[in-house]
Amino acid sequence: LTGGRFRSLISVMTETTVKSAVLPPAIERFVVAWGEMGEVWGVNRSVSQIHALLYVSDRPLTAEEIAERLRLARSNVSTSLRELMAWSLVRRVSALGERRDFYEAEADVFEMVRRIAAGRKSREIDPAIAALRQCLAAAEGDARVSGEVRRRFRTMLDFTEGVARSFDEVMQLPTPVLAKLIKMGGAVARLAGLTSGSGGRRSAGDG
């Protein structure tokens, strides 16, 4: 190859490599936004961004591809993938003739939300209920704890257990039923007679 042709070839190869690592603006924005939202929820940004990238990927990706597209360290990607698999949000898949592992995200948004919600409940709500039960049990046998404090313990425990029961019941609903309930929104409460048909407001002429 002459010097000019060699430089031209290198230029084309470099341009192709750079372009292959650049995400379309819509996907890049989604990945960034999902990462920011994850941080608000207390999830590592890299974990959330990898989940977002796999969710909008048309095919399973290798850890190397993920690292390249998100410009993350390979070790960071491996750690994040393990966490996502622990949440059952990402699974490892194999490809015929490939020795490398590929990864894909759960694409069903309802199933994805179920798994995220179930994971948060097991990590946050369930331990809170266990702690409240222990506090109440200890308070019942301690004369130094006033009746008012014991009442507050019971009220908080009853509320938290109620939330947990409602969550479990909703999560057990078939996806089509859950989707209809979400679309109905406030109409569910109105059908149950819990609110008025005008959003809970009463006109000046109502008795």
Side-chain angles (χ1 to χ4, degrees):
L1 293 174
T2 64
R5 291 180 61 190
F6 180 75
R7 285 191 296 271
S8 177
L9 178 59
I10 292 298
S11 176
V12 171
M13 292 175 62
T14 302
E15 182 181 0
T16 302
T17 302
V18 171
K19 284 185 177 180
S20 67
V22 174
L23 298 174
I27 292 180
E28 181 176 354
R29 182 59 197 144
F30 176 75
V31 169
V32 170
W34 198 254
E36 293 172 348
M37 186 163 54
E39 282 193 319
V40 173
W41 291 345
V43 180
N44 181 277
R45 178 179 294 191
S46 297
V47 173
S48 300
Q49 288 184 344
I50 291 172
H51 180 224
L53 176 65
L54 290 174
Y55 180 74
V56 295
S57 177
D58 294 325
R59 63 174 180 82
L61 301 176
T62 65
E64 291 76 12
E65 289 175 314
I66 295 171
E68 177 190 4
R69 296 184 186 191
L70 297 182
R71 298 183 290 279
L72 296 173
R74 178 67 170 77
S75 57
N76 190 357
V77 172
S78 297
T79 301
S80 299
L81 285 170
R82 284 195 295 270
E83 183 170 346
L84 288 166
M85 287 189 289
W87 281 75
S88 297
L89 295 175
V90 166
R91 53 184 167 265
R92 184 188 292 113
V93 296
S94 301
L96 188 64
E98 280 280 358
R99 299 181 61 182
R100 298 175 299 172
D101 289 325
F102 289 77
Y103 300 88
E104 65 181 7
E106 172 58 57
D108 185 314
V109 67
F110 280 96
E111 185 59 32
M112 178 182 73
V113 171
R114 285 180 200 269
R115 294 177 186 181
I116 293 175
R120 296 195 70 90
K121 176 179 178 290
S122 66
R123 291 166 172 80
E124 299 170 17
I125 303 299
D126 293 345
I129 290 175
L132 285 169
R133 287 172 178 168
Q134 292 172 356
C135 291
L136 182 58
E140 294 290 357
D142 192 337
R144 295 170 298 178
V145 180
S146 69
E148 174 61 20
V149 171
R150 289 196 293 270
R151 185 191 68 80
R152 293 181 184 182
F153 278 151
R154 281 193 293 270
T155 300
M156 183 173 289
L157 177 59
D158 289 343
F159 173 80
T160 310
E161 287 180 332
V163 170
R165 282 194 303 271
S166 298
F167 170 85
D168 290 337
E169 291 171 359
V170 170
M171 288 298 100
Q172 290 172 7
L173 293 174
T175 296
V177 175
L178 186 57
K180 288 181 180 179
L181 286 175
I182 293 174
K183 288 182 179 180
M184 290 176 68
V188 175
R190 290 194 292 274
L191 286 173
L194 300 178
T195 63
S196 68
S198 57
R201 297 180 180 176
R202 301 181 65 183
S203 64
D206 289 343

